[in-house]
Amino acid sequence: MRSLLMAAAVSLAFSLFLTPAFLRLFRKLGWGQVIRTPEDISNPSHGHKRGTPSMGGLIFIAGTIVGYLTGVYMGGNEPGLSAILVLWLMVGFGVVGFIDDYMKVRSQRSLGLSGWRKIVGQLIVIIPFGVVALAPGFQNSLGQTPASSYVSLFRDIPWLNLMAFGTVLGWILYLVWVSIIGVATSNSVNLTDGLDGLAAGAGIFVVGSYGLIAFWQFKQTCVGAAVAGCYEVREPLNLAWVAAAFTGSLIGFLWWNAPKAKVFMGDVGSMAIGGVVAAMAILTRTELLLLLIAGVFVLSSGSVILQRLYFKITRGKRLFLMSPFHHHLEMRGWPEVTIVVRLWIIAGLLAASAVGLFYVDWLTQV
């Protein structure tokens, strides 16, 4: 427990106290927020945000790595493959977001990578993640792999084994499955990052909850004593360390990102959050629980999908004044701070509900 607190504290301090230094560097480099040009459909009330330092996701990405390594070595351990995979997805998705951000800053327009190019970049990152997470060559001495071929809710669902369709088709289905989780989660967080502090605050609840789940799995691990209700998750304590570090780093960043934001996380930050959330869902074997625990992110992407479907079906009518949903509330006259705080509350309630259901499932197993 002490090493978990150390990981969170170090990463929090990194983001909280070093952000001003990063902001001076970002201003020197000209990394300011680009608001959509007048010809784009946009919310005109965001014009005052132009020029605010962006790409702040680099700060909490760095803070997470520093905090995680501190926690691991303070606990007398070494980095585990499961945590390295989480960091891989965080950094890899962050690189895709950084390229998108840099293109926008360089052209001073809100046109970075196209949607399909973003997805291709994300697939380039997540497919190696999926392969390493399940390949027999990366088993530990107990024969465990970080990921599972089963679809999971609170734990692996016995009758949903993707490898039941054969090795070749099973691998294809598995890689498609983890790719859908990674791409959908990353882009959902990216859509949520439209108001000051919204994505960061929601991310704290989501990743923090995954940290609790991973720590509970560590306390109830099947390694050494296969008792009723135990978990087959590989290196759950390492997952808890990286979740604690990421949560602490986000809290420190939120100090500067809360309304009125002094820095924006940019796509580099929102995609990194999505990468961590997706990796934690896959590696803690709680993939379907992701829909509830990250419900605010699902709301954002779901509202965009519904808006487009309704627009096509009704031939031009709109279900929302603007999507994602938080912009609909803005257009209805809600103050930005009110929207952000209320969605934080919803994010907290959904995450707490998911953790509660996870615990209830454990009670039914013992």
Side-chain angles (χ1 to χ4, degrees), residues 30-295:
W31 291 358
Q33 177 70 8
V34 178
I35 304 300
R36 290 185 178 184
T37 49
E39 61 267 22
D40 295 324
I41 298 175
S42 181
N43 188 338
S45 66
H46 288 192
H48 68 279
K49 298 183 180 183
R50 180 183 293 274
T52 301
S54 187
M55 303 194 203
L58 293 171
I59 302 169
F60 60 75
I61 289 174
T64 298
I65 295 172
V66 172
Y68 166 71
L69 293 176
T70 301
V72 168
Y73 290 116
M74 280 287 296
N77 290 272
E78 295 182 355
L81 179 59
S82 295
I84 291 172
L85 286 170
V86 178
L87 296 177
W88 165 265
L89 218 54
M90 175 186 73
V91 174
F93 279 8
V95 168
V96 176
F98 177 83
I99 294 171
D100 185 50
D101 286 333
Y102 185 76
M103 290 176 65
K104 294 174 184 176
V105 169
R106 186 178 62 179
S107 65
Q108 283 300 297
R109 298 189 66 199
S110 62
L111 301 176
L113 290 172
S114 65
W116 283 110
R117 287 181 178 177
K118 281 184 185 179
I119 292 175
V120 169
Q122 291 164 338
L123 290 176
I124 291 173
V125 175
I126 200 168
I127 288 177
F129 165 93
V131 171
V132 172
L134 192 63
F138 292 95
Q139 291 178 345
N140 62 8
S141 59
L142 300 174
Q144 294 176 313
T145 54
S148 170
S149 61
Y150 290 84
V151 176
S152 58
L153 177 55
F154 303 111
R155 57 185 77 230
D156 290 345
I157 301 173
W159 50 272
L160 279 179
N161 184 5
L162 299 175
M163 291 299 173
F165 297 95
T167 303
V168 175
L169 183 56
W171 266 100
I172 293 173
L173 291 173
Y174 161 75
L175 289 175
V176 169
W177 175 235
V178 297
S179 296
I180 289 173
I181 294 172
V183 172
T185 304
S186 180
N187 290 327
S188 294
V189 179
N190 187 234
L191 289 170
T192 306
D193 183 34
L195 300 179
D196 295 359
L198 177 54
I204 290 168
F205 287 112
V206 175
V207 181
S209 296
Y210 271 122
L212 292 175
I213 287 173
F215 185 70
W216 183 253
Q217 290 172 333
F218 165 70
K219 300 295 288 185
Q220 307 296 330
T221 181
C222 291
V223 176
V227 297
C230 66
Y231 297 93
E232 295 284 354
V233 173
R234 174 172 166 176
E235 300 164 332
L237 184 56
N238 256 273
L239 293 175
W241 272 322
V242 76
F246 193 78
T247 302
S249 199
L250 271 184
I251 292 173
F253 178 78
L254 185 59
W255 178 272
W256 304 98
N257 183 237
K260 179 181 177 182
K262 300 291 190 300
V263 59
F264 298 132
M265 68 173 63
D267 285 3
V268 59
S270 60
M271 290 190 180
I273 294 175
V276 171
V277 173
M280 291 297 296
I282 294 168
L283 301 183
T284 59
R285 316 284 177 87
T286 55
E287 296 155 352
L288 297 180
L289 190 62
L290 173 64
L291 293 172
L292 178 61
I293 203 168

